[in-house]
Amino acid sequence: MNIFETARQTISNNGRISIDEAMALFESEDLLALGQLAAGINEQKNGNRVYFNINRHINPTNICVNRCAFCAFSRTPGEPGAYTLTLDEICRRAKAAEAEGATEVHIVGGLHPQLAFDFYCEMLQAIRTSAPTLHIKAFTAVEIDYFSRISGQKVEQVLQQLINAGLGSMPGGGAEILVEDVRRKICPEKISGQRWLEIIRTAHKTGLKTNATMLYGHVETVQDRLQHMQMLRDLQDETGGFQAFIPLAFQPENSDLKLGTRGTSGLDDLKTLAISRIFLDNFDHIKAYWVMLGEKIAQVALAFGVNDLDGTVVDEKIGHDAGAQSPKAMSMEGLIRLIEKADKIPVERDTLYRPLREAVKV
Ligand code: V47
Ligand code: SF4
């Protein structure tokens, strides 16, 4: 039996793909067979529907005490390009997003050495007052850990105050590769992989849904990627709190990781997305984040097990500061066109994956 037959048999017997099997799938050169396997699993779960949302990214500050080697977004205080938005400006952007039909604001930023935890609670309250219909998806586990340290409060208390101020869910950033050897090389100052998992576990137990990301295409091996996925699969078994898995293709410009690379290949992107659909059998949604992948690979990914294209985004900074070639925003019509041309049914969703509009024709 070849690896695809073995994998099919395992799956039809309700078994789980092991790291060794996933590795063999990754090493296979039969890209189309891999795509077919992943697409079949996705179809069982999600049929022919592909989700997107209308959202807006706001990054309150790029000043960060961590300075991860892969990050071209962060600055030290006083460095050219360092900024911190005022609450008024943040609210103005949220209001504008709401007026343009957005249902979500996605808020992540640097670990600012001077801003107090109260600033972030006030920020959520102010957004809730000025744009009450928006779902606020904000703060990675890395920021939550930082808030706990600067406020001297337990993670549970920090999360509860943020929820009281308007937090609706959390994005999946900061996970990078959860394996410590890799973190030592790419983000030595960041919280450990175990701490990331612990904070997400606490968030899930508090009732918050989160996503999970994986930054790939730098110094990590395929084995590291699979171990990362294994840790996520185990936590999902325990809590069920993850909504989507989002592989983030590393953008190499302007970062301290001098890898002499132009980023990931299309082949690697598609294999990584397909393997995540096959391996993460307890995740409903696999997201192709068009900002890092480019629109064309994100579209082709819909035949490789993906069922979500993220959103309109509007003002993306993290990937574009690192040289992403994709547009900084996508219109709803653009997203719908990408999905329809891939012969799928576009479904506008809210942050919690409740369908809002289906098969909208442009
Ligand atoms: O944690 C930083 C990554 C993340 C680079 O949950 C980079 O819906 C590529 O997490 N090349 C933040 N990636 C973005 C993020 C995210 C994005 C969209 C949707 C969701 C969601 C989450 O961006 C960071 C880091 O892993 N990142 N620098 C870079 N040069
Ligand atoms: Fe700071 Fe996040 Fe950039 Fe790391 S990835 S330097 S924690 S903003």
Side-chain angles (χ1 to χ4, degrees):
M1 269 204 295
N2 71 26
I3 181 60
F4 293 103
E5 286 161 351
T6 312
R8 271 208 179 83
Q9 203 170 72
T10 305
I11 294 161
S12 63
N13 292 335
N14 287 326
R16 292 194 125 168
I17 299 294
S18 66
I19 287 193
D20 286 347
E21 285 169 330
M23 182 64 100
L25 288 171
F26 210 100
E27 281 167 356
S28 159
E29 279 165 23
D30 196 343
L31 182 68
L32 295 186
L34 182 66
Q36 247 172 19
L37 180 60
I41 297 170
N42 179 45
E43 208 172 300
Q44 295 276 317
K45 288 191 189 228
N46 298 300
N48 218 12
R49 301 155 97 217
V50 172
Y51 289 110
F52 68 93
N53 74 348
I54 306 182
N55 66 349
R56 175 150 190 179
H57 283 208
I58 303 177
N59 307 114
T61 181
N62 63 353
I63 297 177
C64 187
V65 297
N66 262 6
R67 307 308 307 269
C68 304
F70 56 79
C71 178
F73 162 75
S74 62
R75 299 283 187 279
T76 43
E79 193 181 337
Y83 74 84
T84 301
L85 302 179
T86 61
L87 286 185
D88 279 354
E89 175 57 18
I90 293 169
C91 289
R92 191 194 65 73
R93 292 187 192 186
K95 245 179 169 155
E98 188 183 47
E100 285 158 20
T103 58
E104 167 192 291
V105 269
H106 166 119
I107 301 180
V108 296
L111 311 181
H112 195 289
Q114 267 104 38
L115 292 175
F117 175 52
D118 285 351
F119 171 85
Y120 300 95
C121 294
E122 280 166 32
M123 179 172 91
L124 298 189
Q125 276 156 357
I127 294 172
R128 192 169 52 181
T129 308
S130 45
T133 65
L134 291 180
H135 175 107
I136 307 176
K137 177 180 77 171
F139 309 129
T140 65
V142 176
E143 290 166 281
I144 300 296
D145 169 78
Y146 189 64
F147 298 159
S148 154
R149 284 189 280 138
I150 60 176
S151 68
Q153 299 184 63
K154 288 195 167 133
V155 169
E156 289 85 346
Q157 292 170 307
V158 164
L159 289 171
Q160 203 50 61
Q161 285 172 75
L162 292 171
I163 292 169
N164 294 345
L167 183 69
S169 65
M170 283 168 58
E176 321 315 354
I177 293 283
L178 292 165
V179 176
E180 284 320 313
D181 268 0
V182 179
R183 287 182 102 72
R184 255 193 297 279
K185 292 180 195 144
I186 65 168
C187 51
E189 287 150 297
K190 198 166 242 168
I191 56 171
S192 67
Q194 285 310 312
R195 178 71 173 154
W196 187 93
L197 291 164
E198 194 182 311
I199 288 176
I200 295 292
R201 179 182 288 110
T202 309
H204 291 171
K205 292 200 167 147
T206 314
L208 287 168
K209 293 286 182 191
T210 79
N211 291 330
T213 57
M214 174 178 78
L215 181 69
Y216 70 99
H218 41 87
V219 305
E220 89 293 356
T221 61
V222 172
Q223 184 75 23
D224 293 326
R225 294 184 198 178
L226 295 171
Q227 274 178 11
H228 177 96
M229 289 187 212
Q230 175 86 61
M231 291 185 232
L232 296 176
R233 190 166 82 175
D234 290 348
L235 183 56
Q236 179 75 326
D237 279 345
E238 195 187 317
T239 66
F242 286 118
Q243 299 202 109
F245 178 66
I246 314 158
L248 297 170
F250 173 56
Q251 310 294 310
E253 276 180 33
N254 308 320
S255 91
D256 290 340
L257 277 185
K258 303 270 182 270
L259 293 174
T261 156
R262 300 296 310 154
T264 61
S265 71
L267 197 82
D268 194 13
D269 294 333
L270 293 174
K271 280 188 169 183
T272 305
L273 287 157
I275 303 274
S276 40
R277 170 57 81 194
I278 297 164
F279 191 82
L280 293 174
D281 53 10
N282 51 5
F283 277 65
D284 288 341
H285 310 292
I286 304 292
K287 195 190 271 191
Y289 186 43
W290 57 265
V291 168
M292 306 294 185
L293 294 168
E295 295 155 273
K296 291 185 178 179
I297 291 288
Q299 185 187 41
V300 178
L302 301 180
F304 283 76
V306 161
N307 74 314
D308 188 356
L309 283 189
D310 199 76
T312 47
V313 177
V314 180
D315 190 17
E316 204 286 324
K317 287 193 67 57
I318 296 173
H320 286 88
D321 284 353
Q325 297 296 304
S326 56
K328 279 194 144 182
M330 183 106 81
S331 65
M332 180 181 80
E333 291 75 16
L335 284 165
I336 291 173
R337 204 173 310 116
L338 278 188
I339 298 168
E340 284 186 340
K341 293 268 183 209
D343 218 11
K344 303 273 182 184
I345 302 164
V347 180
E348 186 195 340
R349 61 163 174 86
D350 69 7
T351 309
L352 301 174
Y353 285 85
R354 290 175 295 216
L356 299 176
R357 273 190 288 177
E358 192 160 321
V360 214
K361 284 279 172 209
V362 277

